[in-house]
mmCIF file of all heavy atoms in Angstrom:
data_model
loop_
_atom_site.group_PDB
_atom_site.id
_atom_site.type_symbol
_atom_site.label_atom_id
_atom_site.label_comp_id
_atom_site.label_asym_id
_atom_site.label_seq_id
_atom_site.Cartn_x
_atom_site.Cartn_y
_atom_site.Cartn_z
ATOM 1 N N ASN A 147 1.311 17.434 12.397
ATOM 2 C CA ASN A 147 2.098 18.248 11.475
ATOM 3 C C ASN A 147 2.671 17.420 10.336
ATOM 4 O O ASN A 147 2.579 17.783 9.165
ATOM 5 C CB ASN A 147 3.329 18.775 12.238
ATOM 6 C CG ASN A 147 3.242 20.249 12.472
ATOM 7 O OD1 ASN A 147 2.709 20.968 11.647
ATOM 8 N ND2 ASN A 147 3.775 20.661 13.601
ATOM 9 N N VAL A 148 3.316 16.320 10.711
ATOM 10 C CA VAL A 148 3.975 15.472 9.714
ATOM 11 C C VAL A 148 2.925 14.806 8.816
ATOM 12 O O VAL A 148 3.134 14.661 7.606
ATOM 13 C CB VAL A 148 4.885 14.437 10.416
ATOM 14 C CG1 VAL A 148 5.388 13.393 9.439
ATOM 15 C CG2 VAL A 148 6.063 15.160 11.077
ATOM 16 N N MET A 149 1.793 14.442 9.382
ATOM 17 C CA MET A 149 0.729 13.852 8.540
ATOM 18 C C MET A 149 0.230 14.871 7.517
ATOM 19 O O MET A 149 -0.028 14.533 6.372
ATOM 20 C CB MET A 149 -0.431 13.339 9.400
ATOM 21 C CG MET A 149 -0.073 12.056 10.133
ATOM 22 S SD MET A 149 -1.501 11.107 10.679
ATOM 23 C CE MET A 149 -1.850 11.868 12.223
ATOM 24 N N ARG A 150 0.122 16.126 7.935
ATOM 25 C CA ARG A 150 -0.323 17.161 6.994
ATOM 26 C C ARG A 150 0.680 17.297 5.840
ATOM 27 O O ARG A 150 0.308 17.281 4.667
ATOM 28 C CB ARG A 150 -0.498 18.496 7.717
ATOM 29 C CG ARG A 150 -0.930 19.612 6.792
ATOM 30 C CD ARG A 150 -1.198 20.899 7.543
ATOM 31 N NE ARG A 150 0.003 21.485 8.114
ATOM 32 C CZ ARG A 150 0.321 21.479 9.391
ATOM 33 N NH1 ARG A 150 -0.479 20.907 10.274
ATOM 34 N NH2 ARG A 150 1.435 22.028 9.823
ATOM 35 N N VAL A 151 1.970 17.400 6.192
ATOM 36 C CA VAL A 151 3.004 17.590 5.169
ATOM 37 C C VAL A 151 3.035 16.388 4.219
ATOM 38 O O VAL A 151 3.029 16.544 2.982
ATOM 39 C CB VAL A 151 4.387 17.787 5.846
ATOM 40 C CG1 VAL A 151 5.488 17.823 4.811
ATOM 41 C CG2 VAL A 151 4.391 19.055 6.676
ATOM 42 N N PHE A 152 3.034 15.198 4.789
ATOM 43 C CA PHE A 152 3.127 13.997 3.948
ATOM 44 C C PHE A 152 1.858 13.756 3.138
ATOM 45 O O PHE A 152 1.918 13.231 2.026
ATOM 46 C CB PHE A 152 3.467 12.772 4.809
ATOM 47 C CG PHE A 152 4.907 12.367 4.670
ATOM 48 C CD1 PHE A 152 5.916 13.246 5.005
ATOM 49 C CD2 PHE A 152 5.257 11.125 4.166
ATOM 50 C CE1 PHE A 152 7.251 12.901 4.851
ATOM 51 C CE2 PHE A 152 6.585 10.765 4.005
ATOM 52 C CZ PHE A 152 7.583 11.651 4.350
ATOM 53 N N SER A 153 0.703 14.123 3.707
ATOM 54 C CA SER A 153 -0.538 13.916 2.942
ATOM 55 C C SER A 153 -0.472 14.740 1.657
ATOM 56 O O SER A 153 -0.982 14.333 0.622
ATOM 57 C CB SER A 153 -1.767 14.309 3.770
ATOM 58 O OG SER A 153 -1.854 15.712 3.875
ATOM 59 N N ARG A 154 0.186 15.908 1.741
ATOM 60 C CA ARG A 154 0.274 16.784 0.572
ATOM 61 C C ARG A 154 1.366 16.310 -0.389
ATOM 62 O O ARG A 154 1.141 16.205 -1.590
ATOM 63 C CB ARG A 154 0.539 18.226 1.029
ATOM 64 C CG ARG A 154 -0.690 18.824 1.731
ATOM 65 C CD ARG A 154 -0.373 20.129 2.406
ATOM 66 N NE ARG A 154 -1.574 20.757 2.954
ATOM 67 C CZ ARG A 154 -1.545 21.786 3.787
ATOM 68 N NH1 ARG A 154 -0.401 22.308 4.177
ATOM 69 N NH2 ARG A 154 -2.679 22.289 4.243
ATOM 70 N N ILE A 155 2.543 16.008 0.173
ATOM 71 C CA ILE A 155 3.650 15.633 -0.718
ATOM 72 C C ILE A 155 3.308 14.357 -1.490
ATOM 73 O O ILE A 155 3.522 14.267 -2.699
ATOM 74 C CB ILE A 155 4.951 15.453 0.090
ATOM 75 C CG1 ILE A 155 5.387 16.819 0.650
ATOM 76 C CG2 ILE A 155 6.074 14.856 -0.777
ATOM 77 C CD1 ILE A 155 6.540 16.758 1.613
ATOM 78 N N LEU A 156 2.761 13.371 -0.776
ATOM 79 C CA LEU A 156 2.502 12.071 -1.424
ATOM 80 C C LEU A 156 1.044 11.904 -1.854
ATOM 81 O O LEU A 156 0.651 10.843 -2.330
ATOM 82 C CB LEU A 156 2.882 10.921 -0.480
ATOM 83 C CG LEU A 156 4.368 10.856 -0.078
ATOM 84 C CD1 LEU A 156 4.599 9.729 0.927
ATOM 85 C CD2 LEU A 156 5.261 10.639 -1.302
ATOM 86 N N LYS A 157 0.240 12.953 -1.646
ATOM 87 C CA LYS A 157 -1.206 12.892 -1.940
ATOM 88 C C LYS A 157 -1.847 11.658 -1.285
ATOM 89 O O LYS A 157 -2.415 10.790 -1.955
ATOM 90 C CB LYS A 157 -1.453 12.877 -3.462
ATOM 91 C CG LYS A 157 -2.889 13.229 -3.819
ATOM 92 C CD LYS A 157 -3.113 13.128 -5.309
ATOM 93 C CE LYS A 157 -4.580 13.096 -5.626
ATOM 94 N NZ LYS A 157 -4.841 12.655 -6.986
ATOM 95 N N ILE A 158 -1.726 11.608 0.021
ATOM 96 C CA ILE A 158 -2.370 10.534 0.794
ATOM 97 C C ILE A 158 -3.730 11.065 1.247
ATOM 98 O O ILE A 158 -3.804 12.037 2.002
ATOM 99 C CB ILE A 158 -1.506 10.126 2.008
ATOM 100 C CG1 ILE A 158 -0.139 9.612 1.530
ATOM 101 C CG2 ILE A 158 -2.220 9.068 2.852
ATOM 102 C CD1 ILE A 158 0.833 9.254 2.638
ATOM 103 N N GLU A 159 -4.800 10.419 0.770
ATOM 104 C CA GLU A 159 -6.138 10.961 1.023
ATOM 105 C C GLU A 159 -6.899 10.165 2.072
ATOM 106 O O GLU A 159 -8.115 10.024 2.001
ATOM 107 C CB GLU A 159 -6.922 11.020 -0.306
ATOM 108 C CG GLU A 159 -6.312 12.036 -1.272
ATOM 109 C CD GLU A 159 -6.927 11.983 -2.660
ATOM 110 O OE1 GLU A 159 -6.843 10.905 -3.292
ATOM 111 O OE2 GLU A 159 -7.476 12.996 -3.102
ATOM 112 N N GLU A 160 -6.159 9.647 3.044
ATOM 113 C CA GLU A 160 -6.807 8.921 4.145
ATOM 114 C C GLU A 160 -7.182 9.925 5.236
ATOM 115 O O GLU A 160 -6.506 10.947 5.401
ATOM 116 C CB GLU A 160 -5.837 7.888 4.736
ATOM 117 C CG GLU A 160 -5.309 6.873 3.752
ATOM 118 C CD GLU A 160 -6.349 5.841 3.372
ATOM 119 O OE1 GLU A 160 -7.250 5.583 4.193
ATOM 120 O OE2 GLU A 160 -6.257 5.304 2.254
ATOM 121 N N ASP A 161 -8.232 9.584 6.001
ATOM 122 C CA ASP A 161 -8.720 10.470 7.061
ATOM 123 C C ASP A 161 -7.744 10.465 8.253
ATOM 124 O O ASP A 161 -7.611 9.461 8.953
ATOM 125 C CB ASP A 161 -10.112 9.962 7.501
ATOM 126 C CG ASP A 161 -10.712 10.812 8.598
ATOM 127 O OD1 ASP A 161 -10.093 11.835 8.967
ATOM 128 O OD2 ASP A 161 -11.800 10.444 9.082
ATOM 129 N N ILE A 162 -7.066 11.603 8.480
ATOM 130 C CA ILE A 162 -6.070 11.616 9.558
ATOM 131 C C ILE A 162 -6.714 11.682 10.949
ATOM 132 O O ILE A 162 -6.017 11.592 11.960
ATOM 133 C CB ILE A 162 -5.034 12.763 9.398
ATOM 134 C CG1 ILE A 162 -5.698 14.128 9.534
ATOM 135 C CG2 ILE A 162 -4.280 12.663 8.082
ATOM 136 C CD1 ILE A 162 -4.680 15.246 9.763
ATOM 137 N N ALA A 163 -8.035 11.851 11.021
ATOM 138 C CA ALA A 163 -8.701 11.805 12.330
ATOM 139 C C ALA A 163 -8.811 10.366 12.840
ATOM 140 O O ALA A 163 -9.026 10.134 14.025
ATOM 141 C CB ALA A 163 -10.090 12.424 12.230
ATOM 142 N N LYS A 164 -8.666 9.401 11.935
ATOM 143 C CA LYS A 164 -8.762 7.980 12.355
ATOM 144 C C LYS A 164 -7.413 7.538 12.916
ATOM 145 O O LYS A 164 -6.390 7.681 12.234
ATOM 146 C CB LYS A 164 -9.068 7.101 11.142
ATOM 147 C CG LYS A 164 -10.504 7.029 10.781
ATOM 148 C CD LYS A 164 -10.710 5.749 9.994
ATOM 149 C CE LYS A 164 -11.646 5.942 8.838
ATOM 150 N NZ LYS A 164 -11.263 5.241 7.654
ATOM 151 N N PRO A 165 -7.390 6.950 14.123
ATOM 152 C CA PRO A 165 -6.108 6.536 14.706
ATOM 153 C C PRO A 165 -5.323 5.568 13.806
ATOM 154 O O PRO A 165 -4.102 5.609 13.760
ATOM 155 C CB PRO A 165 -6.506 5.846 16.019
ATOM 156 C CG PRO A 165 -7.852 6.391 16.339
ATOM 157 C CD PRO A 165 -8.517 6.718 15.032
ATOM 158 N N SER A 166 -6.033 4.719 13.061
ATOM 159 C CA SER A 166 -5.344 3.707 12.256
ATOM 160 C C SER A 166 -4.562 4.327 11.092
ATOM 161 O O SER A 166 -3.648 3.703 10.545
ATOM 162 C CB SER A 166 -6.354 2.686 11.719
ATOM 163 O OG SER A 166 -7.321 3.357 10.961
ATOM 164 N N THR A 167 -4.900 5.559 10.709
ATOM 165 C CA THR A 167 -4.238 6.200 9.564
ATOM 166 C C THR A 167 -2.762 6.492 9.830
ATOM 167 O O THR A 167 -1.942 6.499 8.926
ATOM 168 C CB THR A 167 -4.979 7.511 9.205
ATOM 169 O OG1 THR A 167 -6.326 7.172 8.928
ATOM 170 C CG2 THR A 167 -4.377 8.195 7.995
ATOM 171 N N ARG A 168 -2.432 6.718 11.116
ATOM 172 C CA ARG A 168 -1.035 7.029 11.465
ATOM 173 C C ARG A 168 -0.067 5.980 10.907
ATOM 174 O O ARG A 168 1.015 6.293 10.436
ATOM 175 C CB ARG A 168 -0.904 7.091 12.980
ATOM 176 C CG ARG A 168 0.537 7.223 13.468
ATOM 177 C CD ARG A 168 0.596 6.957 14.949
ATOM 178 N NE ARG A 168 -0.094 8.001 15.665
ATOM 179 C CZ ARG A 168 0.496 9.144 16.044
ATOM 180 N NH1 ARG A 168 1.764 9.328 15.795
ATOM 181 N NH2 ARG A 168 -0.177 10.057 16.678
ATOM 182 N N LYS A 169 -0.506 4.713 10.907
ATOM 183 C CA LYS A 169 0.353 3.614 10.438
ATOM 184 C C LYS A 169 0.758 3.807 8.974
ATOM 185 O O LYS A 169 1.879 3.496 8.578
ATOM 186 C CB LYS A 169 -0.373 2.262 10.564
ATOM 187 C CG LYS A 169 -0.617 1.848 11.986
ATOM 188 C CD LYS A 169 0.435 0.816 12.424
ATOM 189 C CE LYS A 169 0.324 0.474 13.890
ATOM 190 N NZ LYS A 169 1.298 1.102 14.767
ATOM 191 N N ILE A 170 -0.181 4.313 8.181
ATOM 192 C CA ILE A 170 0.103 4.542 6.760
ATOM 193 C C ILE A 170 1.212 5.592 6.619
ATOM 194 O O ILE A 170 2.146 5.429 5.830
ATOM 195 C CB ILE A 170 -1.176 5.008 6.028
ATOM 196 C CG1 ILE A 170 -2.203 3.883 6.071
ATOM 197 C CG2 ILE A 170 -0.883 5.456 4.595
ATOM 198 C CD1 ILE A 170 -3.583 4.296 5.627
ATOM 199 N N PHE A 171 1.126 6.632 7.439
ATOM 200 C CA PHE A 171 2.140 7.696 7.371
ATOM 201 C C PHE A 171 3.470 7.207 7.931
ATOM 202 O O PHE A 171 4.534 7.542 7.399
ATOM 203 C CB PHE A 171 1.643 8.944 8.117
ATOM 204 C CG PHE A 171 0.594 9.689 7.344
ATOM 205 C CD1 PHE A 171 -0.755 9.397 7.508
ATOM 206 C CD2 PHE A 171 0.957 10.660 6.432
ATOM 207 C CE1 PHE A 171 -1.721 10.057 6.787
ATOM 208 C CE2 PHE A 171 0.004 11.336 5.701
ATOM 209 C CZ PHE A 171 -1.346 11.031 5.869
ATOM 210 N N GLU A 172 3.408 6.415 9.002
ATOM 211 C CA GLU A 172 4.666 5.894 9.562
ATOM 212 C C GLU A 172 5.392 5.036 8.525
ATOM 213 O O GLU A 172 6.609 5.127 8.372
ATOM 214 C CB GLU A 172 4.395 5.074 10.825
ATOM 215 C CG GLU A 172 4.206 5.964 12.038
ATOM 216 C CD GLU A 172 3.841 5.208 13.306
ATOM 217 O OE1 GLU A 172 3.631 3.971 13.232
ATOM 218 O OE2 GLU A 172 3.747 5.852 14.343
ATOM 219 N N ALA A 173 4.616 4.230 7.821
ATOM 220 C CA ALA A 173 5.238 3.375 6.799
ATOM 221 C C ALA A 173 5.840 4.232 5.687
ATOM 222 O O ALA A 173 6.937 3.929 5.184
ATOM 223 C CB ALA A 173 4.186 2.414 6.235
ATOM 224 N N ALA A 174 5.150 5.306 5.321
ATOM 225 C CA ALA A 174 5.672 6.184 4.257
ATOM 226 C C ALA A 174 6.959 6.866 4.720
ATOM 227 O O ALA A 174 7.937 6.952 3.973
ATOM 228 C CB ALA A 174 4.623 7.230 3.878
#
Side-chain angles (χ1 to χ4, degrees):
N147 250 326
V148 170
M149 286 200 274
R150 179 176 68 254
V151 173
F152 256 60
S153 73
R154 290 169 174 168
I155 293 172
L156 298 176
K157 197 183 164 195
I158 299 177
E159 293 172 300
E160 302 286 333
D161 180 4
I162 65 164
K164 277 203 220 141
S166 58
T167 302
R168 172 193 293 273
K169 293 260 174 258
I170 296 169
F171 285 90
E172 279 176 355

